[in-house]
Amino acid sequence: MPLDGRERERLRWRSRRGLLELDLVLQRFWSPPGPDLDEAQGRALARLLAMPDNDLLDLVMDRVPNADPALEQVLVRLKAA
Amino acid sequence: MALSIRKFDVVIVGAGGSGLRAALELSSAGLKVAVLSKVFPTRSHTVAAQGGVGAALGNMGEDSWQWHMYDTIKGSDWLGDQDAIEFMCRTAPEVVIELEHFGMPFDRNDNGTIYQRPFGGHSANFGEKPVQRSCCAADRTGHAMLHALYQRNVYARTQFFVEWMALDLVRDAEGAVLGVTALEMETGQVVLFHAKATLFATGGGGRIFHSSTNAFINTGDGVGMAARAGIPLEDMEFWQFHPTGVAGAGVLITEGVRGEGGILLNKNGERFMERYAPTMKDLASRDVVSRAMATEIKEGRGAGEHADHILLKLDHLGPEVIDKRLPGIREIAIKFANVDPIKEPIPVVPTCHYQMGGIPTNYRGEVIVPEGGAVPGFYAAGECGCASIHGANRLGTNSLTDLLVMGRSAGMSVLEYLKGHGSHRPLPNDAGENALARLARLDGQQGGEDVNEVRGEIQRTMQAHCGVFRFPDMLAQGVEKIRALEGRMARTGIKDKSMVFNTARIEALELDNIYETARATMVCAQAREESRGAHDRADFPKRDDEKWLKHSLWYKAGDRLAYKAVNLKPLTVESIEPKARVY
Ligand SMILES: Cc1cc2nc3c(=O)[nH]c(=O)nc-3n(C[C@H](O)[C@H](O)[C@H](O)COP(=O)(O)OP(=O)(O)OC[C@H]3O[C@@H](n4cnc5c(N)ncnc54)[C@H](O)[C@@H]3O)c2cc1C
């Protein structure tokens, strides 16, 4: 199932961060036409976005390894953004 | 649109360090406090602060608040108000220890006291030698501060309204502030928060510049709302810049890169710093380097398609040195500048970092205007306020100090005010209509101006015309350009009109605040014919105390400017008289 449109928008707003570096990565991730996200990927993204900024940046910059396989797929796309 | 009303004793807009500190003071006193934030509190921009919080604890050697005060006044290039500066420096140790007791995980010395690191501009014995004054929690000081304060607020039962955007101030006929209108992102509803006192802690507006170290949320909302409500803005021409941010992206490239041998080149590949600073070259002080970079760009020797940046060359250092001595720089350059510094230079540009000006307050956090003094029921603290502690230039680590000291002070002033103003003032009939009209205009706009385009235009105009080094012709054109954007601003439009989490609508509303902030900056900068602190003019290279030892006040109505005296009189000690600022 593709992610519900409003849930998408919620995640998009939650991509506004306190650290500029994350804003920039997430801006690219969302750049038009925007990423394909199904419900499971939406849930993974929501969990990533719920992390403290510094921890998320460490993951995105590959400074620490990701220990949670459920996050891997979306994280790889964030890193590539 | 129906406007529902919610009543609180106090409404605070902003949940960064200053908003949280103020809220704690008020909730702990048993008041019903609402804190509004566009993002979850611990994702406020305060999270970005790494360097630390300054306080003369004297844990590493002798220190005193008088020395801290001297450094702050000198840093401010004598534009700071000395009563506010004394207040901050004297109170700093107390609020830092208090934060320690709130659970802030400060780095420690072997004897258990808070460890303090050195930081530029902080000295012992009135400029004699460097002193270690910055208290930090590894490189996550801001993050730790937000968490410690947030948890205390949860305990004190502060009510958080997360993902709510304040739109406009509500004032009555006498000018008293009665609260704010705010948009709930989840539903698109607009609610009027009716309060006995309203406190702004909305942070800075660094996004007015094309190159900025600030996160995207820093759109100057508090300043914009105040300006629209007829409150003047103070000293908006003063913005701190960092010489080397990644062009366009804004991510900082530490000055250590030049320390390790990185050099700056113009589009012709010339090492231009040799011309501006023959001895120190690329290692000259921040302002000298920034000024040289801006001059190269202005004179058409900038690199890139738009000739708008400078090249920071590292490849001659070799991959080993880059990887070993400059860890992290390579990954930042690859990720945010799209270049590998082992092979290519990094495009850099002087980048906006901190807003010194803001909503005019005294050291008690009360908003003060020339027309009648304190605005009843209105307070401001943190980067959106101007007490003025930082004057023309802020010292490193003094912003976090300001958040704690001014957040608490503003909170205490509200408590005092509420003793004599125990009930809500009645709302005028048209309360909230300004915000509703703004929304209705936006939603009804046919074929409107694209928000991203107009924002880009403002940012590029500010960067080119009102950047780190300011030229008279560029400023004059800049004022014209910013004024000319008024028409486009009145016609911004959005395609998505849905009510739920409509990011496009939020960004259009933020743009109004970016515009007010930018306009105030440009107009004040053109008017101030001197160089002082961060305001650096090519045509008036010297500080002029005779004419300009005064604060600017900008009014939105008619772009009017007024001025007020700098307070050179501290609270209890001797004044520190203006003298040349040399380091
Ligand atoms: C990269 C970087 C590093 C820094 N390092 C240091 C340092 O080491 N030491 C130091 O002293 N200073 C440092 N600074 C400066 C310092 O971090 C900031 O000045 C300070 O954190 C600002 O705090 P604040 O409480 O005023 O606002 P912020 O932390 O910016 O918070 C603003 C709050 O207002 C809310 N808000 C804004 N508009 C609205 C609205 N319309 N409706 C609802 N809510 C709204 C936001 O959601 C947020 O909660 C640094 C700055 C940067 C950019």
Side-chain angles (χ1 to χ4, degrees), chain B residues 13-20 36-41 43-54 119 141 146 164-167 201-204 213-215 217-222 225 252 352-354 381-384 394-401 403 513:
Chain B
V13 185
S18 58
L20 290 176
L36 275 53
S37 179
K38 292 197 284 190
V39 298
F40 193 76
R43 285 212 295 274
S44 299
H45 190 54
T46 297
V47 77
Q50 300 188 339
V53 44
F119 220 91
T141 307
L146 286 176
W164 283 70
M165 179 181 181
L167 300 176
T202 50
T213 65
N214 285 200
I217 27 176
N218 283 16
T219 50
D221 294 5
M225 287 187 273
L252 283 184
C352 166
H353 191 54
Y354 183 84
E383 196 171 330
C384 75
R394 173 185 69 103
L395 224 52
T397 77
N398 263 357
S399 171
L400 294 186
T401 315
L403 306 186
N513 301 317

Side-chain angles (χ1 to χ4, degrees), chain B residues 521-568:
Chain B
T521 301
M522 188 71 88
V523 171
C524 290
Q526 197 220 1
R528 184 175 285 271
E529 297 185 330
E530 66 160 350
S531 290
R532 180 186 298 270
H535 176 67
D536 197 356
R537 283 198 47 160
D539 50 342
F540 295 96
K542 292 230 163 64
R543 194 176 83 197
D544 182 351
D545 288 337
E546 193 93 332
K547 288 205 196 106
W548 289 102
L549 187 57
K550 57 189 181 186
H551 298 291
S552 313
L553 290 173
W554 173 86
Y555 293 80
K556 176 177 162 62
D559 269 336
R560 183 162 70 85
L561 286 173
Y563 292 92
K564 72 171 180 185
V566 173
N567 187 349
L568 293 171

Side-chain angles (χ1 to χ4, degrees), chain B residues 4-129:
Chain B
S4 57
I5 296 171
R6 300 185 68 151
K7 273 193 176 180
F8 288 87
D9 291 320
V10 188
V11 58
I12 296 177
V13 185
S18 58
L20 290 176
R21 186 61 194 82
L24 187 56
E25 203 61 30
L26 295 162
S27 294
S28 304
L31 296 180
K32 194 175 163 201
V33 180
V35 175
L36 275 53
S37 179
K38 292 197 284 190
V39 298
F40 193 76
T42 54
R43 285 212 295 274
S44 299
H45 190 54
T46 297
V47 77
Q50 300 188 339
V53 44
L57 300 175
N59 290 349
M60 317 302 291
E62 199 187 353
D63 198 1
S64 82
W65 66 259
Q66 285 95 334
W67 297 346
H68 187 190
M69 175 174 167
Y70 171 83
D71 294 337
T72 304
I73 292 170
K74 180 176 170 189
S76 83
D77 217 352
W78 276 270
L79 193 71
D81 287 320
Q82 298 194 11
D83 55 341
I85 296 176
E86 172 179 340
F87 182 73
M88 183 187 84
C89 297
R90 206 150 51 101
T91 318
E94 190 183 326
V95 291
V96 166
I97 301 282
E98 195 180 56
L99 188 65
E100 178 188 27
H101 297 172
F102 291 162
M104 172 95 168
F106 281 115
D107 293 354
R108 294 191 182 278
N109 292 310
D110 289 341
N111 66 3
T113 54
I114 296 173
Y115 168 77
Q116 299 184 274
R117 59 163 79 131
F119 220 91
H122 290 279
S123 77
N125 207 15
F126 309 100
E128 212 174 85
K129 55 175 195 257

Side-chain angles (χ1 to χ4, degrees), chain A residues 6 9-10 12-14 16-25 27-28 49-55 57-58 60-63 78-81, chain B residues 38-39 43-45 47-48 140 143 163 185-186 207 212-217 249-251 331-332 335-336 496 498 500-503 506-507 510:
Chain A
R6 285 301 123 187
E9 282 294 303
R10 186 200 308 271
R12 206 168 111 172
W13 179 255
R14 292 200 176 149
R16 283 284 202 98
R17 311 299 298 190
L19 293 180
L20 172 67
E21 290 86 343
L22 287 175
D23 274 342
L24 293 165
V25 168
Q27 183 183 45
R28 289 186 227 153
L49 294 178
M51 293 172 75
D53 274 54
N54 290 296
D55 295 344
L57 186 64
D58 282 350
V60 169
M61 298 296 279
D62 258 331
R63 290 174 193 149
L78 279 184
K79 286 184 200 173
Chain B
K38 292 197 284 190
V39 298
R43 285 212 295 274
S44 299
H45 190 54
V47 77
R140 293 191 173 189
H143 168 91
E163 294 174 339
M185 298 182 191
E186 174 91 55
R207 297 306 304 179
S212 170
T213 65
N214 285 200
F216 293 178
I217 27 176
V251 179
E331 52 164 353
I332 285 176
K335 190 124 204 124
F336 300 108
D496 178 359
S498 72
V500 181
F501 269 104
N502 186 336
T503 304
I506 300 164
E507 290 181 348
E510 287 178 330

Side-chain angles (χ1 to χ4, degrees), chain B residues 152-397:
Chain B
R152 292 299 287 201
N153 271 288
V154 171
Y155 179 73
R157 299 189 185 282
T158 299
Q159 293 189 45
F160 285 97
F161 291 80
V162 176
E163 294 174 339
W164 283 70
M165 179 181 181
L167 300 176
D168 273 302
L169 271 178
V170 178
R171 297 184 79 179
D172 67 13
E174 281 141 59
V177 168
L178 312 182
V180 290
T181 39
L183 175 85
E184 183 181 24
M185 298 182 191
E186 174 91 55
T187 61
Q189 293 271 341
V190 178
V191 171
L192 196 160
F193 285 79
H194 188 189
K196 297 171 194 165
T198 302
L199 195 156
F200 274 10
T202 50
R207 297 306 304 179
I208 67 168
F209 290 96
H210 186 58
S211 199
S212 170
T213 65
N214 285 200
F216 293 178
I217 27 176
N218 283 16
T219 50
D221 294 5
V223 160
M225 287 187 273
R228 282 194 296 280
I231 308 276
L233 303 178
E234 180 170 342
D235 291 341
M236 290 302 292
E237 61 272 47
F238 297 99
W239 293 81
Q240 194 166 58
F241 280 72
H242 191 287
T244 52
V246 171
V251 179
L252 283 184
I253 301 288
T254 121
E255 297 185 80
V257 170
R258 280 175 286 126
E260 291 295 343
I263 55 172
L264 295 164
L265 303 178
N266 62 20
K267 74 167 182 192
N268 305 321
E270 183 204 1
R271 186 180 182 187
F272 58 86
M273 283 312 299
E274 290 179 333
R275 265 189 283 123
Y276 296 89
T279 323
M280 294 302 285
K281 298 182 187 146
D282 300 273
L283 296 179
S285 66
R286 258 189 198 190
D287 51 332
V288 174
V289 174
S290 294
R291 206 179 292 149
M293 292 170 73
T295 306
E296 290 299 298
I297 293 170
K298 175 178 193 244
E299 292 178 357
R301 291 186 295 278
E305 196 187 333
H306 302 290
D308 59 358
H309 59 259
I310 294 297
L311 300 168
L312 177 57
K313 178 176 147 66
L314 301 183
D315 59 308
H316 58 286
L317 302 177
E320 298 78 33
V321 173
I322 295 178
D323 283 336
K324 210 160 105 211
R325 299 246 198 83
L326 300 168
I329 289 301
R330 193 172 170 200
E331 52 164 353
I332 285 176
I334 293 174
K335 190 124 204 124
F336 300 108
N338 213 9
V339 300
D340 184 346
I342 286 178
K343 300 185 209 122
E344 298 160 274
I346 311 173
V348 292
V349 72
T351 295
C352 166
H353 191 54
Y354 183 84
Q355 168 189 320
M356 263 80 69
I359 302 166
T361 73
N362 55 16
Y363 68 87
R364 296 166 44 84
E366 299 162 331
V367 176
I368 305 288
V369 295
E371 311 73 18
V375 178
F378 194 29
Y379 301 80
E383 196 171 330
C384 75
C386 181
S388 147
I389 289 169
H390 312 295
N393 194 41
R394 173 185 69 103
L395 224 52
T397 77

Side-chain angles (χ1 to χ4, degrees), chain B residues 133-157:
Chain B
R133 191 177 283 149
S134 173
C135 313
C136 42
D139 59 354
R140 293 191 173 189
T141 307
H143 168 91
M145 180 185 277
L146 286 176
H147 278 266
L149 290 173
Y150 180 67
Q151 283 159 8
R152 292 299 287 201
N153 271 288
V154 171
Y155 179 73
R157 299 189 185 282

